[in-house]
Amino acid sequence: MRTPTSGRTLTSPPALTPLLARGALLSPFKRPRPDADHPRTRLVLPGLRVDLARLAAYERVCGFPTGEDCLPVTYPHVLGFPLAMRLMSDREFPLPLLGLVHTSIGITRHRPLRATGDHELAVHVASLAPHRRGTEATVVTALRDGGEVVWESHSTYLARHRTQAASPSADGNRDRDGASGWRGPEAGVLPVLDEWRLGADVGRRYGAVSGDRNPIHLHPLTARLFGFPRAIAHGMWTAARCLAAHGTPEAARIHVEFRTPVLLPGTVFFAADGSRFELREGGDGNRVHVSGRVDPLG
């Protein structure tokens, strides 16, 4: 992955609505390909303070306990989302923002994150890579507290488009975007711990607390414009909901794969055993929407 060639310091988080509008307007003119150039700037936002009311709303939507002086492990992604959108809605970013699918996230948390106090965020686009269904971008977000990196994530986003026949080296043998979603027998079946009935408004509720109002998550009509039969849940909502149920050590490394879309409304089953967890379509079936694992650091 290439390192950014320049840094730009912001004085406040970018407003999301203009960024999403710009990204939507530019999307039809983008020609995604893995060898395209992309912005090399690292955006830095120092002195960031968490809005505690918005945090509490996020905790309620995602199933985390409220009122604790510690950020949920997925919340820095929400804090960094406006900076990521500024980069991905830029004219120089080659992937269309509309229809972009979040395919995975890897998180490293070195210690609990205070909900109060000042933080520094930094976000940059690390790379583009070929995927058998299109082109995938990796976006890196880092949160510093007292000058020390305490949380970092690597998110991958897929722009689907026609590609040449994929070879094993084209995407590193990854199968992330839900091409099959079927777990092979070698992976083992995790025991089901809970059943969740998801309402049609889950995408709108999460969009309100996260700022991610991608039309594929909001309404059936807008989702159908991008090839989905109904609105689909945000990948980061499913990750947050699973991690709220699973629990996370104070210092941990997390990896989550978004394998097949969760259609809304719908019923899903949460399964977990040890470090691994899944969100499945059926209690005894093999179709997996989300898979992940949580490992303690050190």
Side-chain angles (χ1 to χ4, degrees), residues 1-5 34 36-42 87-88 93 123-129 136-141 152-157:
M1 293 186 182
R2 300 181 186 179
T3 57
T5 57
D37 198 11
H38 60 82
R40 307 290 179 180
T41 302
R42 175 187 279 115
L87 292 173
M88 292 194 288
F93 185 71
V123 179
H124 70 276
V125 179
S127 65
L128 298 181
E136 200 170 56
T138 297
V139 178
V140 177
T141 301
E152 187 175 38
S153 73
H154 290 69
S155 279
T156 55
Y157 295 91

Side-chain angles (χ1 to χ4, degrees), residues 234-289:
H234 293 74
M236 284 307 298
W237 179 85
T238 63
R241 185 68 184 88
C242 287
L243 290 166
H246 185 274
T248 308
E250 290 188 350
R253 182 171 287 110
I254 299 162
H255 188 74
V256 182
E257 303 275 354
F258 308 118
R259 296 169 62 85
T260 61
V262 175
L263 296 175
L264 301 172
T267 299
V268 291
F269 294 83
F270 175 70
D273 187 16
S275 63
R276 295 171 52 214
F277 64 84
E278 291 177 344
L279 200 60
R280 299 208 298 258
E281 183 179 67
D284 56 356
N286 282 337
R287 191 167 181 81
V288 178
H289 294 297

Side-chain angles (χ1 to χ4, degrees), residues 25-293:
L25 290 172
L26 291 175
S27 287
F29 304 101
K30 298 297 182 77
R31 297 294 179 264
R33 66 181 197 277
D35 60 346
D37 198 11
H38 60 82
R40 307 290 179 180
T41 302
R42 175 187 279 115
L43 297 180
V44 180
L45 178 62
L48 175 67
R49 299 185 69 88
V50 174
D51 183 328
L52 297 181
R54 184 182 177 192
L55 171 62
Y58 173 89
E59 291 168 335
R60 287 191 294 269
V61 169
C62 297
F64 290 105
T66 59
E68 297 186 354
D69 188 32
C70 182
L71 295 179
V73 69
T74 49
Y75 197 66
H77 174 85
V78 174
L79 298 176
F81 185 70
L83 280 69
M85 285 300 99
R86 179 158 175 174
L87 292 173
M88 292 194 288
S89 65
D90 191 272
R91 188 178 300 276
E92 295 181 6
F93 185 71
L95 308 187
L97 191 63
L98 286 183
L100 206 61
V101 178
H102 198 177
T103 52
S104 77
I105 186 169
I107 296 172
T108 301
R109 181 173 71 178
H110 296 279
R111 59 177 170 82
L113 311 167
R114 297 174 299 136
T116 56
D118 293 345
H119 305 280
E120 180 185 277
L121 271 172
V123 179
H124 70 276
V125 179
S127 65
L128 298 181
H131 185 283
R132 60 187 183 75
R133 288 203 165 189
T135 298
E136 200 170 56
T138 297
V139 178
V140 177
T141 301
L143 184 71
R144 286 178 170 81
D145 189 8
E148 175 190 3
V149 175
V150 293
W151 186 99
E152 187 175 38
S153 73
H154 290 69
S155 279
T156 55
Y157 295 91
L158 174 66
R160 294 183 292 182
H161 59 84
R162 289 187 177 182
T163 64
Q164 296 179 346
S167 65
S169 61
D171 59 11
N173 286 312
R174 293 172 294 178
D175 183 17
R176 278 206 294 253
D177 68 319
S180 66
W182 292 93
R183 186 202 316 102
E186 72 283 354
V189 178
L190 302 179
V192 171
L193 304 183
D194 206 354
E195 175 184 344
W196 299 337
R197 298 179 184 273
L198 310 181
D201 65 341
V202 165
R204 295 187 291 275
R205 292 172 59 215
Y206 183 79
V209 299
S210 69
D212 184 353
R213 292 184 172 86
N214 188 321
I216 63 177
H217 303 302
L218 303 181
H219 297 281
L221 179 59
T222 54
R224 282 197 290 269
L225 295 175
F226 298 95
F228 299 100
R230 304 198 299 274
I232 64 173
H234 293 74
M236 284 307 298
W237 179 85
T238 63
R241 185 68 184 88
C242 287
L243 290 166
H246 185 274
T248 308
E250 290 188 350
R253 182 171 287 110
I254 299 162
H255 188 74
V256 182
E257 303 275 354
F258 308 118
R259 296 169 62 85
T260 61
V262 175
L263 296 175
L264 301 172
T267 299
V268 291
F269 294 83
F270 175 70
D273 187 16
S275 63
R276 295 171 52 214
F277 64 84
E278 291 177 344
L279 200 60
R280 299 208 298 258
E281 183 179 67
D284 56 356
N286 282 337
R287 191 167 181 81
V288 178
H289 294 297
V290 176
S291 63
R293 65 179 296 123

